[in-house]
Amino acid sequence: MKSLLKLIFSLTLVFISIFIVMKFTGFITIEKVENWLLMAKNTGVVTLMLIVIVILLSDLLLSIPTLATVTLSGYFLGHTYGAIASLIGLMLVGLMGYMVSLYHGEKIEKRILPTSEQRLDARQNFTKHGYVMILFSRAIPMLPEISACMAGMTNMPFNRFIGAWLLSITPYVLICTYAGSISSLDNPAPAIYSAISVNVILWLAWYYHRVKTKCS
């Protein structure tokens, strides 16, 4: 288990470093995402959807505010188109993280875990806990991207990964885009409540799983 935690911690440091750089440079902020969508508001649904997809796809490298982007997509595009664009964007994020790590992650893995015993231990533990980690990853910022990379790096079966990823992003997107679609500048309460509710539900589900696992 120590090897798996070491691998997760190392990847977390990488994503945190990127986030700090983005935060201090102001390269991507919630305000900028909102402004980009505002500027493209009159260009048509397809253009707006493409912008949402590109913004979400950049999350793998730039640590963008995913929850805010998904909610804003519902606000600007409506529930249906916002959900479609967000699902496509987050699906591409997961696929890219998985595939890049599957083919190029071994070099990074060997640097972090120099012995074959450590790498085997990490893979065995991710096989045991990785599905649940992906399933509840939306509860913690950056964990979804880390879990997707971990899945590829440890050769998690693709069907197992994509199943967990879809279960993770689908209710998240549907709830947040709906909340965004019924929110307004005068009444942002649905978006705020949905953000709080999604995180509370995920944390409670994670806690329930931990309790159930210990009792079994």
Side-chain angles (χ1 to χ4, degrees), residues 43-82:
T43 60
V45 172
V46 174
T47 303
L48 267 174
M49 289 180 71
L50 288 173
I51 290 173
V52 170
I53 291 169
V54 170
I55 291 172
L56 288 173
L57 185 56
S58 67
D59 187 38
L60 192 62
L61 296 174
L62 302 178
S63 298
I64 62 137
T66 306
L67 179 60
T69 303
V70 172
T71 305
L72 285 170
S73 74
Y75 174 74
F76 285 102
L77 285 163
H79 186 213
T80 301
Y81 291 119

Side-chain angles (χ1 to χ4, degrees), residues 137-211:
S137 61
R138 294 284 155 191
I140 303 174
M142 292 180 275
L143 187 57
E145 295 76 28
I146 292 169
S147 64
C149 293
M150 287 286 301
M153 196 177 292
T154 57
N155 287 308
M156 185 181 202
F158 179 76
N159 289 340
R160 185 172 173 79
F161 162 73
I162 209 67
W165 190 259
L166 274 171
L167 285 174
S168 172
I169 66 173
T170 303
Y172 175 87
V173 164
L174 292 178
I175 292 170
C176 293
T177 51
Y178 176 72
S181 70
I182 61 174
S183 298
S184 65
L185 295 177
D186 296 325
N187 181 30
I192 295 171
Y193 291 148
S194 73
I196 296 171
S197 299
V198 165
N199 282 288
V200 169
I201 290 170
L202 286 169
W203 275 105
L204 288 174
W206 175 260
Y207 177 75
Y208 173 77
H209 170 76
R210 290 292 302 275
V211 171

Side-chain angles (χ1 to χ4, degrees), residues 81-95:
Y81 291 119
I84 292 171
S86 297
L87 282 171
I88 292 173
L90 292 180
M91 179 58 69
L92 290 174
V93 169
L95 288 173

